[in-house]
Structures are given as C-alpha cells and as structure tokens.
C-alpha cells in the first residue's frame, strides 16, 4: 500500500515543500535517500534524515498493522474479547446492590460517570473506590493503586483513613475466619500506611491544570504500572465558569474524553468521573439533569445517577452497554472514630457493612463500611 | 445606584485566572526562545493558549512534526500540572499540626459530629431564615478565631465582609465577655481582640468579588485565620433577578467564580471560610422564586402556605442561590426555628458527618447548645441539601404569644435590625 506524502506526520512546512517538489508517495521518499532529498527540496542533510526516519517508522507501523500485530488500531475476534472481559476484575463498592446493578462492580477499561445532586455521596464513593481498588486479589480485589484528581477540594484525608481502617479490619476478619495462608500473607502488606501511600492525589484548580494533568496521565501510568483506577472528582466544576466560548468547551471536553478512553484501554484502568446536576428550565417546570450538556453524555460508557427521594438515597443505572436499567436504595454509614476504640469481637454483629461473602438480611444496601460506635446501637 | 454590567463582573473575575498557573508564560515552561517568539507572533503567550489548541493547530503554529508536538505538549503540561502528593503524605502533614485542621466552635456536640469543628481549607455555609442567628454565629466564630491555640482558637486575625451592615461591635464584646470571662478580664485583651477583626462593608457583587480577589495579600500581611462573608445571598439577590432571561446563568457564573477563588484562598492558607445564605421558596413544580425579604408580610404568606400543608405541590422553604451553589460549598449548616426560644441547628451537608440536628438558644454569650436527653443527634432523615426544607418563624409565632415570658434574646433584636 502506497502511503501519500500528505498523510505523513511531518511538519507542515516540510510537507508543503515536498508537495511542491512533486513527491507523491512515501516509497518515493525512501528511494531518494537523505542526500538526494536535501538537494531537491533545499533542506539540510540532518533534517532530511530525520524526515526519512519518521517516514520509515510510519511505514513499519502500517505494515505491522496490516499484518495484525500491535499498533494504534488493534484487531480482535469477539472470542478473544470475551475471554478478556471474563478474566477482568471489578472494583467492588462494598454495597452488594450497587455492585449488582453495575454487573459486578466498577469495570476496568471503561469510563464510569457518577452524577448526583450535592451532598448525595459522590465523593464518598470515589474515596471508597480508591481504597477498594487496593484490596489484594485473594480477597476478591484487583490489587491496584489509585490516582485521585480533585477539582472541588472535597477530598478529606480523615475520611479516607476511616474507610481504609474499616476495610483492613474486614479483611482481617475474613482471614481469621478462613485461615488460609495467602490471606495472611497478603495482609502483611495491606495496611493503613500502604493504602494511603498508594493513593496519588492531584489538586487541579482550573480547567487548564486539569487538561495538563490528563495529558501527563499516560506517562504517569507508565511509571506507576500498578494503577488501576483514575478518579476525577468534579469534572464539571472547572468547566462551568470562565467559558464564553461554548464550542471551545465542547472541544476540550471531547479531547479530554478521548484521552481518558485511551488511558483506560492502554493501562487496563477504570476511570471514574463525577458530575454535577444542573437545573434545566422547561416550559412549566424545572428538572435536574447532569451538567455539561447533552454531548458529554456520550463520553462515559456507564452512567449512574445518585439522587434523593425524600430522605432515601437512590442510585439509578442510567446507561450501560451490558446491564439493565435499575434503581436501588443505599445508605452511607459513618465511622464515628472520635474517641472510640473498635471492638473486634462484637464487630460482626454490629457492623453495618457488607461483603459479598456474608450477606446480611437487613441493611444489605449499606454502602460504606464504618467502625461501630456506642452511639449507633 | 449603578448596577454593574456583566462586562464589569467578567473583567474583575477574569483577572483572577491570569494569576494562576495557566497564565504562566511559555518562556517559563522551558520552551526554546525561538519557539516562544514564533508562538507569540500568533498571539500564543501563555500555557493556557497553548493547551487550548488542537494538535493540528499546534503543528501549524509550531511548524513541527506530530511526535515533536506531542513532546512539547507534555513539556507545557508539566509546567502547569499540579504537584502530586500521596494520601499518606497529606495525613502526616495533618497530624504534625492537628490543631490547625479545624476551628472549634465550642459547641461540643457539633464539634464532635464534625470531627473537630469548622474545617479549615474548605467552604462552610450557614443558611437560615432572618433573625435565627446567622450573624450571631459569625460574630461568635470571629471571637473564637482570635483566641490563642491553647484555648482552641486559631490565634489570628479575621476578615469580615459585611454586606448587610449587620455587624455590631458591642455585641462582639458582649459575647466575648460572657463566653470567656476569665480570659477577657482586662480591657487590653478585649482591644487586642477587636483590633484583629477587620471589617469591610461591600454592597455590590462586583465589589465583593474585587475584595475577595485582593484578599491574598491581606491574609499574608495581617496573618488572617478566618474569612467570613455575611452574606453572599443579599448582594446576589439584589442584582440578579432570576426571572429575567439569562440572569440565572450569569448568577451561576458569578457564584462559581467566587467559590473557586474562595476555595483557592481556603486551601492555600489552610483557613476556614464561612459564608451565610438566605432562604427562598422553591415550588417543586415550577422554577424557584425568590422570597421577597424586603417586605416581611410577603415572606410570611409564602412560608405560611408552605409549612401548613406538607404537600409537594405547595413547595417548601429551602436555602437560596440554587443548586450549583449547593455543589460549591463543602459544608452546609442550617439554622431553623423550633419552639421559640429553642432553635435547631442542622448539619445538612458535610463530607465527614451524617445529617444531624441540635437544639440551641441565643444567649448573652452567643449560641448555646441544649444538651439533653431528648437530644437526638443522629437522625438519618436528611435529604438533598439543596432542597432541605427549613422552618421559618411564623410557625412558632403562635407559641410565643401563648408563652408569657420571653427569655433574653438580646442579640437578635437589638443589633440585627437589618435581618428583616
């Protein structure tokens, strides 16, 4: 297949010169050689050599692609995809009802968007996931690390400490109950300090910092290859002011979505975004819809909306390629650790959390595991 | 009075972004001199301009190949991107100086539920109907912030931006003297405290925004440890009539901009920022209408209808300023009426606390919590903080007429005349 000169990723000025000199295909360029090229178009020998190297790389890339090897576009059969999907892990949320409607939990290599009214629990969920992604494989987790990009400033370290402590405690209980060796071994490295040290936190103050950070994500994830979760808490906030030019905003958001899809696929990570709700004024009524407009709805693969019904919190699966739309109720439990020791022995009775392994009949919709306190009973 | 135009507000606010990382000149992003000159010929001088272009546009203006441009993009991104920290490092930093993580309100049950008090580094909002105690709470917190660390204070100055002219210095001294009689035993201490509270009277949205943006230097020079804006709602509602077309978007724009500047200040200096808000009536089957607080009669009639029938179609009284503003604040405390003189404090939105309710009264020493057996401080009945219904005064009015004695509620009647 002959590649046209105009489609090669060379500098525009160079391309223009090549076109003016009459070159049409990449093959011609390669045949000419660097010295000939430099004489014909009037560039230095070094520049000609660089250009030829780029062309050669492109042609090799093309050849590899047509042969079915790895490259920017990959080819799979559906069977290979099925095997990959089945082997993939999920990041559990500790709420079995929510995990069920998501099909097992938050999926890797997909973008999940969580929309919700203020105060409904989006940041809580993100903090929970940042801890849950680190659960060792023998307990049913994916043993990964987490990147947390915060644009709203709602990340509370103390809350993460509470959640992490509760998670470690649960794993310890399971290990005690089942007494398997790999459980105990995994627990040696699964401690509060290690969980906190593997949450990489970035605070982005405006949309430029957010864009910059997302451009740098591929590099960061290559260096930290164990990252399996990227959370962007508040994708809407930096884009909701300072934008007179809405088409620029749409373009930037689309670019952002593309980058995130690439990151999710290349590094087998789950990307979780949180979005705000905004009021859309209709003719006679106003409804709450996810912010950032209709076109943003295409960016995420899975969309979950958290909302209130009087005093009950509900989660609705709004968009998913594989699961049915469903709504479930949930609670956020709280650990009131201020001056209370946790009581290990009575833990299983009074704890309001739930694991897949032990299904509680009541309260099986509780979301975040908390340490029990005297106030709760 | 001249109403500021949209352009004025935009101009004030856009000046802020220029001081952030995005405005970093490309020169300082370690691009070559030649490249910077070439880019400036196309009016691309800051990182923001660079990152907003698409790849093809970048190739055109830089004259470089695709791969080169990607490397440049990474270089410029590195100049703007925030620094990484692990959650562990953040925890260590907090544990090194634990007292500076929050401002204790000296209301013990509230402090316990909030894990220490009003959190530093985030925005806390206090919403209530008029005369319920917002300004009292703010004055009380101002006193607390000036106290030394050993007494639970922040040992710093306070910036109080007053838009309703409700601040009363006499009440300040009364609260200080009654709450901490042993500490404020000499005139010297009282003057020292009053000297560290800096009051600014701002009456328009634009001036409030300008004031907020100029705070950075003041905070450093005066060693400020608390910012209070009382109240955001009054300036915003005077100038933006949401019934007019386009005003809702303008208002949201102004509010989110203000919120992001305040968040920046709160986080940068690790100080609490307290904002007060008013109430409005939201009809569930129509767009929000503003309760007209200029004439109390209207206010009563609206809320009368709301509280008597609990049905959905009559709407309810909630915090003002809309849904977007509810997203922007990190913590929301609601003060509402109960059986007078008792009032109720609700923790409606908090990242560390569940929905909780406490009873309090307003005394000479400020707010005082009623700790009692009927104290149910963990109620799982909260709802969307943006729509949490708030009880207003008239429901309790008939009770006060029945009960003969009114305890001393000196604070709210004498100095807060402008709350009406």
């Amino acid at each position: 297949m002959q590649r046209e000169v105009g489609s090669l990723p060379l500098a525009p000025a160079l391309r223009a010169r090549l076109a003016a000199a009459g070159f049409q295909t990449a093959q011609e360029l390669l045949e000419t050689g660097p010295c000939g090229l430099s004489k014909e178009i009037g560039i230095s020998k070094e520049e000609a050599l660089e250009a030829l190297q780029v062309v050669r790389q492109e042609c090799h890339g093309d050849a590899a692609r047509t042969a079915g090897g790895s490259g920017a576009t990959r080819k799979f059969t559906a069977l290979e995809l099925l095997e990959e999907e089945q082997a993939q892990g999920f990041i559990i949320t500790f709420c079995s009802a929510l995990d069920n409607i998501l099909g097992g939990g938050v999926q890797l290599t997909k973008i999940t968007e969580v929309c919700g009214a203020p105060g409904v629990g989006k940041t809580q969920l993100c903090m929970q996931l940042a801890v849950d992604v680190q659960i060792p494989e023998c307990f049913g987790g994916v043993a990964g690390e987490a990147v947390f990009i915060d644009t709203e400033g709602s990340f509370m370290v103390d809350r993460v400490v509470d959640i992490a402590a509760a998670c470690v405690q649960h794993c310890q209980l399971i290990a005690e109950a089942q007494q398997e060796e790999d459980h105990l071994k995994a627990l040696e490295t699964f401690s509060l300090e290690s969980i906190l040290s593997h949450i990489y936190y970035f605070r982005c103050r405006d949309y430029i910092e957010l864009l910059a950070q997302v451009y740098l994500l591929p590099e960061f994830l290559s260096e930290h290859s164990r990252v399996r979760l990227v959370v962007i808490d508040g994708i809407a906030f930096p884009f909701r002011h300072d934008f007179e030019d809405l088409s620029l905003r749409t373009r930037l958001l689309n670019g952002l979505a593309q980058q995130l899809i690439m990151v999710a696929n290349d590094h087998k990570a789950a990307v979780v975004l949180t979005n705000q709700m905004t009021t859309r004024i209709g003719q006679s009524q106003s409804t709450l819809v996810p912010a950032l407009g209709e076109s943003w709805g295409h960016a995420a693969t899975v969309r979950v909306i958290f909302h209130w019904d009087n005093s009950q919190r509900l989660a609705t699966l709004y968009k998913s390629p594989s699961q049915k739309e469903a709504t479930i109720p949930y609670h956020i439990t709280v650990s009131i650790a201020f001056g209370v020791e946790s009581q290990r022995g009575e833990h299983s009775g009074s704890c309001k959390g739930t694991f897949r392994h032990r299904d509680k009949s009541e309260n099986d919709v509780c979301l975040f595991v908390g340490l029990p306190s005297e106030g709760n009973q | 009075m001249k109403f500021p135009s949209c352009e004025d507000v935009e101009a004030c606010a856009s000046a802020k972004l220029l001081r952030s990382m995005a405005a970093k000149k490309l020169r300082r992003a370690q691009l070559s001199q030649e490249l910077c000159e070439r880019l400036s010929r196309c009016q691309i001088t800051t990182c923001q301009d660079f990152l907003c272009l698409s790849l093809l546009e970048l190739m055109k203006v830089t004259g470089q190949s695709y791969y080169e441009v990607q490397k440049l993009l990474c270089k410029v991104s590195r100049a703007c991107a925030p620094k990484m920290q692990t959650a562990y490092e953040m925890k260590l930093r907090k544990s090194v100086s634990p007292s500076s993580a929050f401002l204790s309100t000296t209301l013990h049950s509230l402090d316990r539920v909030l894990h220490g008090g009003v959190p530093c580094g985030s925005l806390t909002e206090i919403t209530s109907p008029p005369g319920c105690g917002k300004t009292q709470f703010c004055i009380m917190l101002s006193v607390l912030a000036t106290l030394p660390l050993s007494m639970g204070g922040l040992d710093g100055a306070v910036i109080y931006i007053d838009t309703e002219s409700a601040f009363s210095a006499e009440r300040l001294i009364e609260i200080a003297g009654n709450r901490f009689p042993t500490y404020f035993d000499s005139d010297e201490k009282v003057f020292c405290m009053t000297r560290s509270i800096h009051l600014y009277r701002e009456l328009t949205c634009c001036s409030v925004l300008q004031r907020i943006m100029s705070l950075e230097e003041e905070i450093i020079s005066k060693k400020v440890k608390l910012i209070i804006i009382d109240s955001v709602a009054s300036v915003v509602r005077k100038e933006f009539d949401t019934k007019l077309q386009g005003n809702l978007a303008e208002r949201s724009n102004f509010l989110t901009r203000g919120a992001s500047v305040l968040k920046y200040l709160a986080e940068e200096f690790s100080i609490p920022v307290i904002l007060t808000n008013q109430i409005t009536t939201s009809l569930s089957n129509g767009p929000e209408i503003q309760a007209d607080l200029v004439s109390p009669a209207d206010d009563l009639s609206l809320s009368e209808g709301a509280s008597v029938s609990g049905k959905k179609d009559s709407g309810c009284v909630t915090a003002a300023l809309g849904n977007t503003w509810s997203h922007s604040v990190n913590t929301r405390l609601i003060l509402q009426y109960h059986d007078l003189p008792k009032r109720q404090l609700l923790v409606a939105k908090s990242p560390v606390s569940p929905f909780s309710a406490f009873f309090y009264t307003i005394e000479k020493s400020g707010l005082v919590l009623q700790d009692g057996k009927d104290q149910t401080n963990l109620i799982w009945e909260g709802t969307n903080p943006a729509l949490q219904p708030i009880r207003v005064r008239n429901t309790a009015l008939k009770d006060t007429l029945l009960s003969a004695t009114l305890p001393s509620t000196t604070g709210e009647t004498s100095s807060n005349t402008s709350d009406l």
Side-chain angles (χ1 to χ4, degrees):
Chain A
M1 202 174 359
Q2 290 299 325
R3 182 88 180 257
E4 279 208 25
V5 162
S7 68
L8 293 169
L10 300 167
L14 188 55
R15 274 206 310 259
R17 286 202 195 190
L18 289 171
F23 284 98
Q24 280 186 346
T25 65
Q27 192 61 28
E28 280 184 64
L29 281 179
L30 289 172
E31 282 169 4
T32 315
C35 298
L37 199 61
S38 74
K39 280 193 210 107
E40 266 199 63
I41 18 179
I43 53 176
S44 74
K45 294 205 181 66
E46 289 79 16
E47 284 174 11
L49 183 61
E50 263 181 53
L52 282 181
Q53 279 171 344
V54 168
V55 173
R56 208 165 281 138
Q57 195 178 25
E58 275 300 303
C59 292
H60 277 164
D62 282 343
R65 252 170 273 155
T66 50
S70 67
T73 51
R74 277 165 283 183
K75 234 174 45 158
F76 297 103
T77 62
L79 181 62
E80 287 167 11
L81 271 181
L82 179 67
E83 285 168 6
E84 229 186 80
E85 277 179 19
Q86 281 178 340
Q88 219 160 66
F90 293 93
I91 306 177
I92 59 175
T93 61
F94 272 160
C95 175
S96 53
L98 188 59
D99 286 340
N100 281 337
I101 63 169
L102 289 173
V106 173
Q107 255 183 311
L108 298 181
T109 76
K110 300 256 185 306
I111 302 188
T112 306
E113 186 183 342
V114 175
C115 314
V120 76
K122 309 185 287 291
T123 309
Q124 301 287 312
L125 178 63
C126 294
M127 296 195 285
Q128 179 82 49
L129 289 172
V131 170
D132 291 346
V133 73
Q134 307 191 37
I135 297 179
E137 276 162 3
C138 54
F139 292 108
V142 298
E145 302 174 355
V147 166
F148 199 106
I149 300 179
D150 187 4
T151 63
E152 294 174 340
S154 31
F155 184 80
M156 296 273 146
V157 185
D158 300 319
R159 183 68 180 137
V160 178
V161 166
D162 291 343
I163 295 177
C167 191
V168 168
Q169 206 161 23
H170 266 268
C171 291
Q172 278 171 345
L173 281 179
I174 296 183
E176 274 168 34
Q178 300 190 354
Q179 290 290 338
E180 279 173 44
E181 213 188 284
D182 48 351
H183 282 189
L184 298 167
K185 215 170 80 128
L187 273 181
E188 283 166 28
T189 46
F190 189 58
S191 68
L192 192 58
E193 288 83 43
S194 88
I195 297 180
L196 292 179
S197 330
H198 291 136
I199 300 181
Y200 305 110
Y201 179 78
F202 298 89
R203 172 76 169 97
C204 293
R205 300 259 159 77
D206 52 49
Y207 70 94
I208 293 292
E209 289 189 19
L210 181 60
L211 280 177
Q213 189 51 48
V214 174
Y215 280 133
L216 293 177
L217 266 184
E219 199 186 306
F220 187 83
L221 291 191
S222 311
E223 286 167 23
H224 299 85
S225 55
R226 285 185 57 207
V227 170
R228 288 282 172 275
L229 174 68
V230 175
V231 173
I232 302 187
D233 186 15
I235 190 112
F237 186 65
F239 286 100
R240 296 194 72 192
H241 56 105
D242 285 340
F243 270 100
E244 304 90 29
D245 185 3
L246 279 181
S247 57
L248 174 66
R249 188 179 91 164
T250 312
R251 183 157 63 73
L252 292 178
L253 282 173
N254 283 337
L256 210 59
Q258 297 280 10
Q259 271 285 99
L260 291 172
I261 293 177
M262 220 168 56
V263 159
N265 272 321
D266 291 345
H267 300 272
K268 275 205 168 26
V271 175
V272 175
L273 313 169
T274 65
N275 196 358
Q276 292 176 354
M277 301 294 268
T278 185
T279 317
R280 186 197 289 164
I281 314 272
Q283 292 126 340
S284 57
Q285 60 186 9
S286 55
T287 48
L288 281 182
V289 296
L292 296 181
E294 285 297 324
S295 48
W296 177 248
H298 296 291
T301 321
V302 176
R303 212 175 206 192
V304 182
I305 300 195
F306 284 2
H307 53 115
W308 297 87
D309 179 20
N310 291 325
S311 50
Q312 176 62 52
R313 291 175 151 103
L314 300 171
T316 303
L317 184 68
Y318 202 66
K319 173 183 173 187
S320 163
S322 54
Q323 302 297 317
K324 205 171 80 133
E325 284 185 19
T327 303
I328 52 119
Y330 70 94
H331 290 298
I332 300 186
T333 61
V334 156
S335 88
I336 308 165
F338 201 79
V340 171
E341 320 80 52
S342 60
Q343 290 134 3
R344 289 261 191 108
E346 299 155 5
H347 194 84
S348 50
S350 53
C351 177
K352 281 196 192 293
T354 184
F355 259 85
R356 251 78 138 294
H357 321 268
R358 303 176 306 186
D359 241 49
K360 300 279 193 324
S361 50
E362 24 79 23
N363 285 3
D364 61 336
V365 295
C366 289
L367 184 56
F368 305 106
V369 179
L371 294 171
S373 88
E374 50 212 5
N376 249 349
Q377 285 118 21
Chain B
M1 187 171 94
K2 170 180 171 276
F3 283 105
S5 63
C6 308
E7 288 83 23
D8 288 346
V9 176
E10 294 283 318
C12 295
S14 62
K16 175 59 198 170
L17 193 59
L18 289 177
R19 273 197 262 155
S20 73
M21 288 306 254
K24 204 168 178 181
K25 301 286 183 202
L26 288 171
R27 242 177 292 128
R28 291 179 2 236
Q30 298 178 347
L31 292 184
S32 70
Q33 182 74 358
E34 182 201 326
L35 191 56
C36 290
E37 277 170 14
R38 187 179 172 146
L39 290 171
S40 62
R41 265 177 267 142
C42 307
Q43 258 86 48
I44 301 171
T45 47
T46 63
C47 293
Q48 180 180 6
D49 302 328
F50 194 89
L51 289 174
C52 280
L53 297 174
S54 69
L55 274 175
L56 283 181
E57 286 170 346
L58 282 175
M59 280 170 70
K60 199 169 80 160
V61 296
T62 58
Q64 309 237 357
S65 72
Y66 183 75
Y67 299 111
E68 288 296 312
V69 162
Q70 295 221 313
K71 283 196 218 146
L72 279 181
L73 209 56
C74 279
K75 227 188 202 174
V76 174
S77 299
R78 231 166 281 146
C80 300
K83 208 170 64 100
M84 187 216 27
Q85 27 180 344
T86 64
Y88 190 54
E89 287 163 14
M90 291 168 72
K91 174 170 169 274
L92 284 182
R93 223 171 330 124
K94 273 204 158 182
S95 56
V96 159
S97 50
S99 55
S100 64
F102 43 75
L103 166 63
S104 159
T105 60
T106 66
L107 303 168
H108 291 295
S109 312
L110 180 63
D111 283 346
R112 193 160 53 100
V113 149
L114 291 179
H115 281 45
V118 173
C120 289
S122 68
L123 306 187
T124 304
E125 183 201 88
I126 304 178
T127 307
S128 84
C132 212
K134 296 190 291 293
T135 308
Q136 300 300 303
F137 202 12
C138 292
I139 296 180
M140 200 175 87
L141 289 170
S142 317
V143 174
L144 294 175
T146 58
L147 292 179
L149 291 168
S150 54
M151 289 179 69
L154 296 177
D155 194 23
V158 175
I159 287 189
Y160 197 110
I161 299 179
D162 187 3
T163 64
E164 295 174 327
S165 301
F167 187 86
S168 154
E170 282 184 13
R171 180 66 176 136
L172 174 74
I173 299 182
E174 188 184 24
I175 290 182
N178 280 298
R179 211 171 184 90
F180 304 101
T182 47
Y183 181 74
F184 289 107
D185 49 4
S186 68
D187 281 347
E188 176 58 45
K189 290 240 181 76
V190 174
F191 291 151
C192 189
M193 184 263 295
T194 50
R195 262 199 297 269
S196 12
I197 300 186
H198 305 275
L199 191 70
Y200 298 97
R201 289 226 164 93
E202 308 291 348
L203 297 171
T204 65
C205 282
C206 199
S207 60
V208 168
L209 201 53
Q210 274 174 334
R211 174 64 58 195
I212 296 175
M213 294 198 297
S214 69
L215 279 183
E216 193 169 347
E217 292 170 18
E218 306 235 349
I219 295 176
I220 301 178
S221 62
K222 296 186 178 133
K223 298 206 200 337
V224 170
K225 290 283 191 235
L226 174 64
I227 300 177
I228 299 184
I229 302 186
D230 180 20
S231 71
V232 175
S234 64
V235 276
V236 168
R237 297 172 91 185
K238 272 193 294 198
E239 294 178 21
F240 294 101
D241 181 355
T242 51
K243 288 201 282 282
L244 296 180
Q245 198 184 39
N247 267 19
L248 191 57
E250 288 283 332
R251 190 183 80 165
S252 285
N253 213 13
F254 169 78
L255 286 174
T256 35
R257 225 189 277 262
S260 66
V261 174
L262 287 170
K263 278 193 198 196
Y264 165 73
L265 290 174
E267 285 172 19
E268 190 65 35
F269 298 103
S270 249
I271 56 177
V273 174
I274 298 185
L275 311 151
T276 59
N277 193 2
Q278 293 168 348
I279 52 168
T280 185
T281 308
S282 83
L283 303 176
S284 59
N285 56 353
E288 267 177 40
I289 61 175
Q290 298 182 22
D292 185 357
L293 294 177
V294 170
S295 80
D298 291 339
D299 188 23
L300 285 179
S301 64
L302 281 171
S303 39
E304 174 98 54
S307 54
V308 163
S309 57
K311 298 195 221 89
K312 271 206 161 179
D313 46 32
S314 59
C316 61
V317 177
T318 63
L321 296 185
N323 189 55
T324 309
W325 178 251
S326 307
H327 277 295
S328 305
V329 297
N330 300 103
T331 310
R332 173 171 271 175
L333 302 176
I334 295 182
L335 308 177
Q336 67 181 4
Y337 286 95
H338 202 253
D339 322 308
L340 274 184
K342 264 202 298 194
R343 297 138 202 257
Q344 218 178 14
L345 187 153
L346 309 173
V347 179
K349 176 182 179 188
S350 162
V352 293
S353 150
F355 184 86
S356 319
F358 306 97
F359 293 112
Y360 71 94
T361 53
I362 302 187
E363 312 278 344
K364 280 211 177 104
S365 57
L367 267 68
V368 172
L369 279 189
Q370 312 284 84
D371 287 308
K373 285 223 187 65
D374 57 353
Q375 177 81 296
T376 41
N377 54 353
L378 283 181
I379 312 174
W380 302 88
E381 277 166 25
T383 178
N384 185 344
L387 299 173
Q388 175 69 38
I390 304 177
R391 265 191 293 253
V392 292
R393 191 166 191 155
N394 71 308
T395 51
L397 204 53
K398 25 191 202 305
D399 298 341
T400 58
L401 292 174
L402 291 173
S403 61
T405 51
L406 266 179
S408 71
T409 45
T410 48
E412 44 145 356
T413 47
S414 59
S415 32
N416 293 344
T417 48
S418 55
D419 266 347
L420 283 174

